[in-house]
Amino acid sequence: FGQLTYMRIYQGMLKKGNQIHNVNDGKKIKLARIVRMHSNDMEEIDEAHAGDVVAMFGIDCRSMDTFSDGGMNLAMSTMFVPEPVMSLAVKPAETKMQNNFAKALTKFTKEDPTLRVKVDSETKETVLSGMGELHLEVYIERMKREYDVEVVSGQPNVNYKETIAARAEFDWLHKKQSGGSGQYAKVSGYIEPMTEEEIKELGKPNEFKNRCTGTNIPPEYYPSCEKGMRDAMHEGSLVGCEVEGIRVVLQDGASHAVDSSDMAFRICMASAIRETMKTAQPSVLEPVMTVEVEIPSEFQGAVTASLSKRMGMIQSSDMNDDGSGLKLEAQVPLANMFGYSTELRSLTQGKGEFTMEYFKHTPVPRQTQDELMDKYKLERLEKEAAA
């Protein structure tokens, strides 16, 4: 039958044979079948009204897409989708499984907006990102069960970020001469940190402001400067992670009539920001999770101690009415949560359970930052040696 898609009708009526169009991507679809699902029973219906939850077959769409009959071009607001906090490098165990592997990833990312897939440009590995260890384990198990794909996975990686805490000015010259036309670009300005309120108001993690006057930098090179800024934000100078919370202001620069080019200004801007970040009190941010643990009250001491050992900050502790159960809420760095489900089961004789939700990124301790920087430098040296 093709993909089974559940949908809710908010306004009007849906009839079998109707033509509807996907507001998000503009595709037109003819409804061949509408069914009402009850558990695993399926009932064919000819029409559905506002408020009904029905299913349709063979429709190529994603979760949270909006459909209309064409008379109204409004998309409904989607649910809040947090950024992924954990990544895992995955690949099929055998080359012959590659097709099914690709099909599975395409289907899963359509179903679940919190699951992201990307290919690392340097290692060429497929990287699966999601909301935690269990989230990614479930999809690896589903690939095996539904698509018969054995997956080899690497160590889970926490998605760190980088930021700065102080303003710093830059005045950077990029000059390269190697026979024929070379590369020449000069940029000057400053970088400064943004507050959480400014990031929310802007709707994106970083900002580029062009405050150049005159034509020292020809206007056609401004977009290249912004692209260079994005390159620097994609890979920071401390541990090679994404950068957020930075405003880059371009004030002046210089160009050469022959040697200046889009690429020269892009490289110049990226190098200027990466080097200047080192002098602007840079720091590494790690994802912190809100962890809710439900346990019988007699295990409170052991569970509280285990959360504290994982650098958790207990936020609240609520006893239920009869005093037999306890609900703990804590904020714990995600890097310290690996293997917690096993530990909780052993501490509570299998009676404890927990849920975990992304809270925010906060600066890591200085010792952890130094360890991450040393690890990143070592990885870079190994890559350069291999090349």
Side-chain angles (χ1 to χ4, degrees), residues 108 137-150:
F108 295 158
E137 279 174 9
V138 165
Y139 281 108
I140 287 170
E141 183 57 36
R142 279 187 65 187
M143 276 189 228
K144 185 178 173 183
R145 198 174 63 242
E146 295 174 26
Y147 289 88
D148 201 25
V149 175
E150 286 282 350

Side-chain angles (χ1 to χ4, degrees), residues 62-64 78-90 101-102 104-120 125-132 135-137 139-140 143 157 159 161 203 205 234 242 244 358 361:
R62 291 177 169 271
S63 289
M64 307 310 293
T78 182
M79 63 183 175
F80 169 69
V81 179
E83 286 297 308
V85 292
M86 190 174 283
S87 302
L88 198 63
V90 292
F101 178 69
L105 291 182
T106 305
K107 180 174 183 282
F108 295 158
T109 47
K110 279 183 180 178
E111 283 178 10
D112 184 355
T114 61
L115 184 75
R116 314 279 173 90
V117 177
K118 68 171 185 178
V119 177
D120 190 292
E125 288 179 319
T126 303
V127 179
L128 210 57
S129 303
M131 300 313 299
H135 186 204
L136 299 177
E137 279 174 9
Y139 281 108
I140 287 170
M143 276 189 228
N157 286 323
N159 289 6
K161 290 185 179 179
H234 186 65
E242 266 186 61
E244 70 167 29
Y358 171 69
H361 273 73

Side-chain angles (χ1 to χ4, degrees), residues 118 121 206 229-236 240-243 274:
K118 68 171 185 178
S121 55
N206 302 294
M229 172 264 206
R230 288 207 193 102
D231 292 344
M233 298 299 114
H234 186 65
E235 188 180 330
C241 293
E242 266 186 61
V243 179
R274 283 194 186 114

Side-chain angles (χ1 to χ4, degrees), residues 290-293 307 313-317 327-331:
T290 297
V291 179
E292 280 189 4
V293 188
L307 287 170
M313 301 272 289
I314 307 290
Q315 301 297 310
S316 67
S317 172
K327 186 178 182 180
L328 291 170
E329 189 177 294
Q331 286 167 6

Side-chain angles (χ1 to χ4, degrees), residues 307-321:
L307 287 170
S308 301
K309 194 173 73 180
R310 291 172 182 266
M311 307 294 287
M313 301 272 289
I314 307 290
Q315 301 297 310
S316 67
S317 172
D318 298 320
M319 191 84 72
N320 64 9
D321 294 338

